[in-house]
Amino acid sequence: TEYYFKKPVTPEYVLRLKRHAIRLGLDITGTPVGNTFTHPPGEARDREIARVKEWIDVSAEIGSPAIRIFAGNAPKGVDEAQGRKWAVECIQICLEHASRRGVFLALENHGGVVATAEGLLEIVRAVRGDWFGVNLDTGNFHTEDPYDDIARAAPFAVTCQFKVEIGRKGGRREEADY
């Protein structure tokens, strides 16, 4: 996960990490990045796009097939639909780079404007490109019926994080029924 790496992340470090994983027989299945794509056009948004593009490069170099991305929360005073539109714009920009590097952009259902299957799928349907999909986190839908949301998002998943608990809206966490 990008935000746990000591900065700056150098190409030499990435190659050492890749070599270490190969020697241990470990596959690197994803490279998560912490980002916010719900910023309006401007400097903050440009910084987020640039950082995700940098981590697309790291993902490609390390041999990771996918980079987990977030959408984010709608900024104060902005409705979620507008936040999703801005997220789509940012994803499209990054997707061009990701497709050249052979790395999937995997949008996680991580609260904010993608807290529900409807919000997530609105973005999924709007983004155009073969190197885009969902990083399905089975513990992140906190709706009336998280299992229905999981089932609706699953066909678009390119990566998945299975959780042992589910949290229904207004309820306590409960053991997941798989």
Side-chain angles (χ1 to χ4, degrees), residues 9 17 49 52 85 94 98 100 139 160 164:
V9 177
L17 184 59
I49 290 170
V52 168
K85 287 178 187 172
C94 292
R100 283 195 307 269
C160 187
V164 297

Side-chain angles (χ1 to χ4, degrees), residues 55-104:
W55 279 88
I56 290 168
D57 290 336
V58 170
S59 295
E61 296 302 319
I62 208 165
S64 171
I67 180 171
R68 187 278 325 268
I69 59 172
F70 293 144
N73 294 310
K76 187 174 177 104
V78 174
D79 68 16
E80 287 191 355
Q82 180 60 60
R84 283 190 287 276
K85 287 178 187 172
W86 287 333
V88 168
E89 292 169 6
C90 294
I91 291 167
Q92 285 296 162
I93 292 166
C94 292
L95 190 54
E96 184 178 321
H97 187 66
S99 64
R100 283 195 307 269
R101 296 304 315 260
V103 174
F104 273 95

Side-chain angles (χ1 to χ4, degrees), residues 105 111 118 123 133 158 164:
L105 292 184
E118 291 82 19
I123 292 175
V158 295
V164 297

Side-chain angles (χ1 to χ4, degrees), residues 75-148:
K76 187 174 177 104
V78 174
D79 68 16
E80 287 191 355
Q82 180 60 60
R84 283 190 287 276
K85 287 178 187 172
W86 287 333
V88 168
E89 292 169 6
C90 294
I91 291 167
Q92 285 296 162
I93 292 166
C94 292
L95 190 54
E96 184 178 321
H97 187 66
S99 64
R100 283 195 307 269
R101 296 304 315 260
V103 174
F104 273 95
L105 292 184
L107 178 62
E108 182 172 325
N109 55 308
H110 191 79
V113 300
V114 294
T116 65
E118 291 82 19
L120 178 70
L121 295 177
E122 182 180 321
I123 292 175
V124 167
R125 290 182 183 113
V127 172
R128 300 287 175 241
D130 293 335
W131 289 91
F132 175 70
V134 168
N135 177 68
L136 179 59
D137 188 318
T138 63
N140 279 357
F141 284 127
H142 304 290
T143 58
E144 307 260 336
D145 188 354
Y147 294 105
D148 181 63

Side-chain angles (χ1 to χ4, degrees), residues 36 38-50 86 89-90 93:
T36 301
T38 51
H39 293 297
E43 288 181 30
R45 174 176 162 160
D46 293 345
R47 279 192 303 273
E48 295 293 308
I49 290 170
W86 287 333
E89 292 169 6
C90 294
I93 292 166

